[in-house]
Structure formats: C-alpha cells, structure tokens
Amino acid sequence: ALLRRQRLEAAAAELRAAAERLAPHPALASAARDLTARADALAGGSFTLALFGAFSAGKSSFANALLGEAVLPVSPHPTTAAVNRIMAPTDAMPHGTAAVRMKTHEMWWEDLKYSFSVLGLEPPAESSWRQAAERLTPEGLHPAGLPHYGFLKAAATGWEMMSSKLGTTENVQLDMYRSYVADETRSCFVDGIDLYYSCPLTEQGIVLVDTPGADSLHARHTGVTFNFIKNADAIVYVTYYNHAFSKADRQFLSQLGRVKDSFALDKMFFIVNAADLASTEEELEEVVKHVRGNLTRSGVGSPHIFPVSSMLALEGKRAGDEEQLGQSGFPAFETALGHFAVEELPGLSLRAGYDEMAVVRDRVLSWADMAAQDEHARAARIAGLKEAREQGLARLSVLSGQDLAKDMGRECSELLFHVRQRLEYALGRFFQESFHPSVLREDAGQLKSAFAACGRDLMRTLSLELDQELWATTLRLEKVGRTWVEQAAHEAVSDISGWAGCTLTLRREKDWAAPELQETELQLGEDWSTYWPYFKNPKAFFEGSGSQKLREALEPKVKEAIAAALKAREAQLLAHYEQQLAHSLQLQESQLKTQLDEAVDALVSSLQDGQSPEVWRQLAHELDMQLQRRPQRSDE
C-alpha cells in the first residue's frame, strides 16, 4: 500500500486537475478556489492522533510502540504530566529536539491555589507555601487528593531550580526532554512540550498527542480535554489489561459517549494494553467483553476495541521480527488506523470535491444549451439574468437578516434542563463514591478532616461532571445551529436557482469557535463542619441512617448550586451561539453573493460574445471523465 502522504497527494492531484480545468472560466472561479483549497488541505494537512487514558494504563509504552522506538520514558507518568506532542522535525527544530513551554506564573499559582483548596488547606501565601507543602503527609488524605499532594511536594522541591523559567519556552535535547517528562519536580512547572522526532509515523504527517491522564492534576481543565476530543482527527483511549475502571476513567468515557454522535465519522479507538498477560484466548475475550460493557454503559456504542501488547510490538519493530509483531496484536490496530487516516477521513473532503465537480458539470451543460440558442433568445436570456441577479441579491439579504435567536434560546434551555436532570440523577452515585467506607474508616485517624475531604470531593466531582456536560452541550448547539443555517441557505439557493437558472453551491464552513467557559466551582455556601453531626462513627453512618440523612440534607443545597451555575452558563452560551448564528448567516450570504455575481457576469459575457457551446460541452466531457474515476465509498 502507498504511504499516507503519497495517497493524499494523489487524491489532491485529482482535485487540482479539476480546479485547473475550471480556472480559465471566470464563471467558475469560486468552484476552482474551493477545489484548490480542498486539495491543499488534503496534501498538506497533518493528522492528529490524541492518546487518552489513566496514567497507569501504559500510554507511554503504547506511544513508543506506535513510534517504533523508545522515545517516551516508560516509568509511570507523574500525575502532573503536561501535554506532549510528537511530530516531524522542521528546519528550525531538527530531529531529537524539543520545545518545552513552561506555565506562566499566573497559571502555576492557580494550580497551586487549587491543590491547596482540594486538600482543605488555607490559601497559599507567596512567603510560606513551600513550608506548608513540606509539612504535608499522605495520612488521612482522600484518594482524590493524592495527585495534589504529589504536585505540592514536587513543586516545593523543584521551586529553586524551576521558578525562574516560568513563562518561558526552552529548547532542549532528547535527554533533557525525557527528564521534563519523567521528573515530577520539573514536569509540574511545564504547560506543554513539542518533541520533533523523525520516524515512519511522524514523517507521514501524523502528530501524536499524549494527554495528561484522566486522573491527573489537569483533569479539572475540561476545556483543554474537550478541545483535543473535538479537534483531534482520531482519539485512542488506552486501558490496561485487567485494571478496573476508576471514577476518573468512567467520567472521561461518559464524555466520549456524550460527544460521539456529534462527529461525522467514528474516530474513536479503544486499546486493551498488555494483552500478552492473558493466559488463554478465552481469558482475553472476557477482558475485552468487560471493557466493551464499560464503554456501552458510558454511552459509547459499537466501540472499536483492540487488545495489544505494546511491549511485544516495540520489540518486534525494533528487531524486525514480523512474527513477534503479529503476536502483539498491533498490526490489526495500525491497519484500522491507517484505513481511517488514508481512506475514511480524507474521503469526506474528496467526496465533497467530486460532488462539486458533478454540480459544475451539470451547470456547464446547461450553459452550453443556452449558448446554442439564436441571437434573439440569447438577448432575452441576458435581460432575464440581470433581473434574476437583482432578485437573487435581495433574497440573499433576507438570508442574513433572519433572526434565529428565539430558536437557539429554546434549544439551549431544553438541553440545559436535561443536563440538570442528569446531574441530579447522578448525585446519589457520586455521593456514594465520595463518602466511601474505604476513606471513612475507624483506623483512618482525623475522621473530621477526612469527612470534609469527602464533601469537597463530591462538589469537585459534580463541578467536573457539569463542565463536561456543558462542553458536550456546545457541540449539540453548534450542530443544530449549523443545521438551521444550512436549511435557510438551501432554501435561498433553491429560490435563486429557479429564477436565474444558475446553480449555486452551499459550502461547508469551518467549525464554529467554542465559547470560553471558566471552570465551575460549585459551592454550598457553608463549611463541611456544619454537616459533621450526621457522622457519629463509620458503622452508624454506613450501616445506620447517617449517610441517608446527610444526603437528604445536602440534596436541596446541591441542586440549588447546580441550578444557579446552569443559569449563569445559559446566558453565556446563548450570547455566544446567537453571535455564531449571525456570523454564519452573513458568511453564507457573502459566499453565495460572490457565486451569483461571478456566474451572471460570465454568462452575460458568454451570451453577448456568442461563445461556442462546444467550449462548455468539452469542459463538461472532461469533468465527466474525471468523475468516472471517483472512488467508491467502502459502504457502497
């Protein structure tokens, strides 16, 4: 099989050839520009592959197996890990160099304050935060607080060495890159790293993005995660053989389930890593079945699951041992990924390009018929075209003037009503996970502070869930808004085509910008010590009525906090998507006006000059020949 770049270049060449045929004809300038833009995107575009998963899932070893070399350190990722992008070298950044982008002081201080609040500490002070961090011990910490404990310890240790680098970007060699990835005293100050590395994967234009784990310090930055989910060309979720799905895993997978149907193609791949640990095929099938069940419960229907051994794959690639590579299960995944990257995803743009060619072919055939008419008929046609242009421009002005704000308001209100219902429904489950017997034990010591930590974990979990719901809602609002705009534009195009006899083409605009949503911090408005009387001892709380009574006392307060947060977000979302709707309608109007002007001007010129109909018929024939080479979809 041809390599990815060669295949895409060949597809782009088809579109460029069509664009060159159209270029000499002013009436087809818009279509030529569109085909050229599609060709450029196909040939020059990178393919972003984003890796997700818990820090213990073996993402680093999986990434190394993909790259075919031990690039990333495979010691367990620190929970403060930053976003790692691995891509082909450039003239400015040669093979084996990395650009390490440090957090700004403001970003780093926000992380510090957040970790102090998670652990129930007083807000940090510039002069004394390190002493407070150094005094910390892990005893009695809620499990959700452990990443923050690790962050504070690492930050205190690394401060002298790293504080002067905040807000800078440092170019380093491979050894230092690995240190920034694996050494938590450095990585906790890092915002992101771009590694420039030449290998078969990156040289095909594939950018590998290794994201922080779903259980990392960065999990609260749901907007960052959402943008990777939305904008990555493919998503790979890595889970480790026989590991239970954590709460962080389940929350992330629920987010994938919420957004899966918003994408034109199913771009999600699920990996069961370390599959070589299975003693039998039956055992492996049971593990895959378990993973499939978790995904289905999270809303990810019909998932593509691949059991692999990253270790065997890397060894097989490095040794050139095809048998070992085959045993790793990796070829099945790489084949599926290759088909997606080379056939399915580019196929969307390529098919749209061929659709455009077919429209142009039909259009020029009708022009050939016009040009073949006698002089009197041509003169009448010219007068009709000029009148139709005025009607068309007036119709397009109506398009951009449409007010869809009320429709968007109703849609937004309805979607957020369901968000509120789902959060209230999930409250019981999150309560049980936060106030858990494994945390509130007789031998845990400092039960009062552990109880407060459970309460803070509940509110953080709900805040994270609300934010993930909101980001999923943005995709739904964008999808419905774009549908309305396309319907309105299609109606205008149908009207104008009937008057002018020249076919206009709707062009799909780029994805809409996402709103800037701040992270939610749900607050009860009172200290958790207020609720301490509900907890007499672990036995009475979990086996008696204490837990139930606490939940009944909390429920109205929590629901009130959720409702207030959603009310504020509704106003923000509505303002953003009303603006996006108006901009999108104006864009469609502008593009269609350009097409109408080009087509009418060229047709009038052609009819006045008595241009030979054979020119248009020859062009239609050439396009028809090219359309016969159109590749069939795999599902056709």
Side-chain angles (χ1 to χ4, degrees):
L2 288 170
L3 294 172
R4 176 180 177 270
R5 281 217 158 131
Q6 291 170 297
R7 295 286 294 277
L8 297 187
E9 225 9 293
E14 284 287 306
L15 299 185
R16 284 200 186 97
E20 286 167 9
R21 288 192 174 98
L22 308 187
H25 306 284
L28 302 171
S30 293
R33 283 194 300 270
D34 186 50
L35 288 169
T36 300
R38 289 186 188 282
D40 291 344
L42 275 174
S46 61
F47 179 91
T48 302
L49 179 64
L51 298 185
F52 294 94
F55 77 90
S56 58
K59 279 192 297 143
S60 296
S61 59
F62 179 79
N64 286 338
L66 267 178
L67 296 165
E69 298 175 42
V71 180
L72 284 163
V74 292
S75 55
H77 271 195
T79 52
T80 57
V83 173
N84 255 294
R85 296 198 310 165
I86 305 170
M87 64 193 82
T90 65
D91 291 340
M93 296 295 291
H95 171 70
T97 58
V100 183
R101 186 176 65 258
M102 306 296 176
K103 295 173 184 174
T104 63
H105 189 277
E106 183 183 16
M107 290 165 65
W108 182 83
W109 189 250
E110 283 300 315
D111 284 347
L112 194 75
K113 287 196 297 184
Y114 185 71
S115 289
F116 266 70
S117 73
V118 168
L119 298 179
L121 303 172
E122 291 293 318
E126 291 270 5
S127 58
S128 59
W129 72 265
R130 289 174 69 194
Q131 294 91 316
E134 286 161 358
R135 288 195 298 270
L136 285 173
T137 63
E139 280 73 38
L141 285 183
H142 193 281
L146 291 174
H148 299 273
Y149 166 81
F151 166 67
L152 293 179
K153 288 293 187 185
T157 304
W159 178 251
E160 290 291 347
M161 175 177 61
M162 297 298 299
S163 58
S164 63
K165 297 182 179 182
L166 288 172
T168 68
T169 297
E170 185 177 4
N171 291 345
V172 301
Q173 299 300 311
L174 200 55
D175 286 348
M176 184 59 74
Y177 159 79
R178 290 189 174 117
S179 175
Y180 272 117
V181 172
D183 181 352
E184 198 152 4
T185 64
R186 295 176 188 270
S187 65
C188 70
F189 294 90
V190 175
D191 181 37
I193 308 178
D194 288 347
L195 172 66
Y196 297 84
Y197 199 88
S198 178
C199 65
L201 187 89
T202 59
E203 291 301 337
Q204 292 307 309
I206 295 176
V207 177
L208 188 62
V209 181
D210 186 14
T211 68
D215 45 3
S216 77
L217 182 78
H218 297 266
R220 83 178 200 270
H221 297 305
T222 53
V224 174
T225 301
F226 169 80
N227 278 320
F228 279 118
I229 292 172
K230 179 181 180 182
N231 298 319
D233 295 302
I235 294 166
V236 176
Y237 188 83
V238 183
T239 186
Y240 197 74
Y241 182 85
N242 254 353
H243 272 207
F245 282 86
S246 67
K247 182 170 82 171
D249 285 320
R250 291 196 302 274
Q251 277 197 282
F252 180 79
L253 293 173
S254 292
Q255 180 71 330
L256 292 186
R258 290 183 192 106
V259 303
K260 187 172 185 280
D261 292 338
S262 297
F263 303 124
L265 293 171
D266 181 359
K267 63 181 184 179
M268 299 178 187
F269 301 83
F270 298 90
I271 301 297
V272 178
N273 207 358
D276 53 312
L277 295 178
S279 54
T280 64
E281 281 294 323
E282 290 76 19
E283 183 183 317
L284 181 58
E285 285 174 17
E286 279 301 310
V287 172
V288 170
K289 184 179 176 182
H290 166 72
V291 171
R292 179 170 282 109
N294 272 278
L295 293 172
T296 303
R297 282 190 290 276
S298 298
V300 182
S302 305
H304 307 301
I305 303 175
F306 300 88
V308 306
S309 167
S310 297
M311 182 186 71
L312 285 178
L314 181 58
E315 288 175 0
K317 285 185 177 184
R318 295 177 83 172
D321 187 335
E322 292 295 326
E323 184 178 348
Q324 189 176 30
L325 183 59
Q327 290 171 353
S328 73
F330 231 76
F333 165 70
E334 290 185 314
T335 298
L337 178 67
H339 179 74
F340 181 81
V342 178
E343 305 290 345
E344 291 186 56
L345 188 63
L348 285 177
S349 186
L350 190 58
R351 284 194 296 275
Y354 276 108
D355 288 345
E356 175 83 354
M357 281 187 228
V359 168
V360 171
R361 177 200 58 197
D362 295 344
R363 191 183 305 170
V364 298
L365 279 172
S366 70
W367 293 353
D369 292 340
M370 282 187 220
Q373 293 173 345
D374 61 34
E375 188 175 343
H376 177 75
R378 288 204 308 273
R381 184 72 184 128
I382 288 169
L385 280 168
K386 289 179 177 178
E387 184 181 345
R389 185 204 321 244
E390 297 309 312
Q391 288 179 306
L393 293 175
R395 177 66 179 83
L396 290 174
S397 297
V398 172
L399 170 64
S400 64
Q402 287 195 51
D403 184 5
L404 298 172
K406 285 184 180 177
D407 294 328
M408 184 57 76
R410 282 192 295 271
E411 187 71 21
C412 188
S413 180
E414 184 178 334
L415 286 172
L416 293 185
F417 171 76
H418 292 300
V419 167
R420 180 175 171 180
Q421 281 194 318
R422 286 193 295 272
L423 279 167
E424 291 177 357
Y425 180 74
L427 177 58
R429 173 165 54 88
F430 290 144
F431 179 88
Q432 289 178 331
E433 289 176 342
S434 294
F435 289 90
H436 198 270
S438 65
V439 180
L440 295 169
R441 306 186 316 271
E442 285 286 7
D443 60 347
Q446 298 181 316
L447 274 172
K448 192 171 184 179
S449 62
F451 175 85
C454 291
R456 290 193 301 272
D457 180 65
L458 172 64
M459 299 310 286
R460 275 196 314 278
T461 300
L462 285 166
S463 297
L464 178 64
E465 190 77 1
L466 189 150
D467 282 341
Q468 290 188 335
E469 284 275 13
L470 286 170
W471 285 117
T473 300
T474 66
L475 282 184
R476 295 178 183 126
L477 289 172
E478 177 178 343
K479 188 174 183 179
V480 73
R482 290 170 74 113
T483 300
W484 292 338
V485 170
E486 286 167 9
Q487 285 172 346
H490 182 74
E491 288 170 9
V493 163
S494 296
D495 289 345
I496 292 166
S497 297
W499 303 328
C502 52
T503 310
L504 304 182
T505 307
L506 290 184
R507 295 198 169 91
R508 192 180 190 280
E509 61 182 297
K510 292 179 181 176
D511 289 346
W512 289 2
E516 293 183 9
L517 298 177
Q518 298 301 311
E519 291 153 19
T520 302
E521 288 188 35
L522 294 173
Q523 301 287 348
L524 285 183
E526 53 208 356
D527 193 80
W528 281 96
S529 60
T530 308
Y531 297 94
W532 175 242
Y534 290 99
F535 189 91
K536 294 184 174 62
N537 57 64
K539 185 178 177 65
F541 187 74
F542 291 110
E543 296 178 23
S545 60
S547 173
Q548 181 62 30
K549 287 181 176 177
L550 172 63
R551 184 177 155 187
E552 288 170 358
L554 283 174
E555 207 160 275
K557 300 280 184 71
V558 171
K559 288 181 177 179
E560 190 179 313
I562 290 170
L566 284 174
K567 186 176 180 182
R569 291 290 190 251
E570 182 171 356
Q572 191 179 356
L573 288 172
L574 199 50
H576 177 80
Y577 284 102
E578 283 176 0
Q579 186 180 28
Q580 293 295 311
L581 274 170
H583 174 74
S584 185
L585 285 166
Q586 287 167 358
L587 188 66
Q588 289 287 1
E589 178 196 13
S590 173
Q591 289 179 342
L592 291 170
K593 275 185 174 178
T594 299
Q595 283 187 57
L596 180 61
D597 280 333
E598 285 175 349
V600 171
D601 286 346
L603 273 173
V604 168
S605 174
S606 174
L607 290 166
Q608 284 173 337
D609 298 343
Q611 184 168 357
S612 168
E614 287 309 313
V615 172
W616 296 128
R617 290 199 178 105
Q618 178 60 32
L619 177 58
H621 173 70
E622 290 171 4
L623 290 171
D624 207 42
M625 295 296 289
Q626 199 167 348
L627 283 165
Q628 289 176 25
R629 299 197 295 273
R630 179 180 190 159
Q632 291 293 303
R633 290 177 52 152
S634 57
D635 57 353
E636 288 177 339

